[in-house]
Amino acid sequence: MLNLNNFVTSLADQGSWVAYSIIFLIILCETGLVIMPFLPGDSLLFLCGSIATLPHSFFNVELLLILLSFAAFLGDSLNFEIGNHFGKSLTKPKWSKWIKPNYLRKTNDFFKCYGSNAVLLGRFAPIIRTLVPFTAGISKMPYHTFAFFNVCGGIAWVSLGILSGYFFGNIPLVKNHFELLMMAIIVISLLPILLIKFKKNINLPTSHKTLKGNDLNEKK
């Protein structure tokens, strides 16, 4: 975290468009290249937001929101196309060093659990965030469906990360427990979907009983 902090601070101190360009490229690659899930995402957004509050900082919060939301959208779109056109080749064993099979399995399970909402919710989960659009491309999800959740997820993720840093990033307690803050955000964001899934599981036995009852009546 300290090294990343120094890196982003040094970029902001340059006072040139180089800083914006490098941050843009990092977000683009972290979301757009399936082999780069290790790049900083949440922490980078948070730091950019917190640095934007400092006196004489080159970073402008409004510009960060616009540029990085576009980078997030563009990255997921690129990743979707990679999965759509090259996904089957890239999931072969020879690529397993770069694209971890266990990460793919977790992402597939995430998709099975949340469906199209996984494109939006996956934004808030490291590693999965990079693999969700790739998996969506492999599964041939309709692009208009993917694009809708991509736009919503990109704006929500970037806004939450940057504005959290902007308003709370310079509070020592928040800065020292950033990972816990992001975990809490992930849990809160998943609650509506978990409740829907829980209700479906409750209603499922009732539906089975109804179907069995109908079958018995038809036999009579």
Side-chain angles (χ1 to χ4, degrees), residues 27 50-51 92 103 122 125 140 143 158 175 186:
I27 295 297
S50 63
I51 291 172
K92 290 180 179 178
Y103 291 165
K140 307 297 182 184
Y143 183 74
V158 170
K175 187 184 294 186
I186 292 168

Side-chain angles (χ1 to χ4, degrees), residues 19-42 44-45 48 64 66-82 123 129-131 133-134 146 150 154 157-158:
Y20 282 112
S21 300
I22 291 175
I23 300 298
F24 183 95
L25 286 174
I26 292 174
I27 295 297
L28 176 65
C29 291
E30 196 260 355
T31 57
L33 299 179
V34 70
I35 61 173
M36 292 190 173
F38 55 85
L39 289 175
D42 300 326
L44 181 61
L45 295 175
C48 287
L64 283 171
I66 294 169
L67 282 178
L68 299 187
S69 292
F70 181 63
F73 167 78
L74 196 62
D76 264 28
S77 297
L78 172 63
N79 216 340
F80 178 88
E81 294 300 331
I82 292 172
R123 287 283 190 180
R129 173 168 54 247
T130 307
L131 294 175
F134 178 74
F146 171 79
N150 182 16
W157 175 56
V158 170

Side-chain angles (χ1 to χ4, degrees), residues 147-164:
F148 172 76
F149 287 102
N150 182 16
V151 170
C152 294
I155 293 173
W157 175 56
V158 170
S159 299
L160 188 60
I162 289 177
L163 294 179
S164 294

Side-chain angles (χ1 to χ4, degrees), residues 8-139:
V8 177
T9 303
S10 65
L11 284 178
D13 289 341
Q14 289 182 29
S16 72
W17 283 93
V18 173
Y20 282 112
S21 300
I22 291 175
I23 300 298
F24 183 95
L25 286 174
I26 292 174
I27 295 297
L28 176 65
C29 291
E30 196 260 355
T31 57
L33 299 179
V34 70
I35 61 173
M36 292 190 173
F38 55 85
L39 289 175
D42 300 326
S43 54
L44 181 61
L45 295 175
F46 186 86
L47 281 172
C48 287
S50 63
I51 291 172
T53 65
L54 299 177
H56 311 297
S57 172
F58 177 71
F59 282 150
N60 175 274
V61 68
E62 290 86 0
L63 191 53
L64 283 171
L65 288 169
I66 294 169
L67 282 178
L68 299 187
S69 292
F70 181 63
F73 167 78
L74 196 62
D76 264 28
S77 297
L78 172 63
N79 216 340
F80 178 88
E81 294 300 331
I82 292 172
N84 191 24
H85 292 93
F86 309 106
K88 291 184 178 179
S89 299
L90 293 174
T91 51
K92 290 180 179 178
K94 66 179 181 180
W95 287 95
S96 60
K97 180 181 178 181
W98 301 99
I99 304 172
K100 305 295 184 184
N102 60 318
Y103 291 165
L104 284 173
R105 282 194 296 271
K106 288 178 181 178
T107 306
N108 283 323
D109 291 342
F110 193 77
F111 250 113
K112 288 177 183 177
C113 186
Y114 301 115
S116 298
N117 288 297
V119 177
L120 189 156
L121 296 173
R123 287 283 190 180
F124 301 93
I127 305 295
I128 285 178
R129 173 168 54 247
T130 307
L131 294 175
V132 158
F134 178 74
T135 306
I138 294 176
S139 65

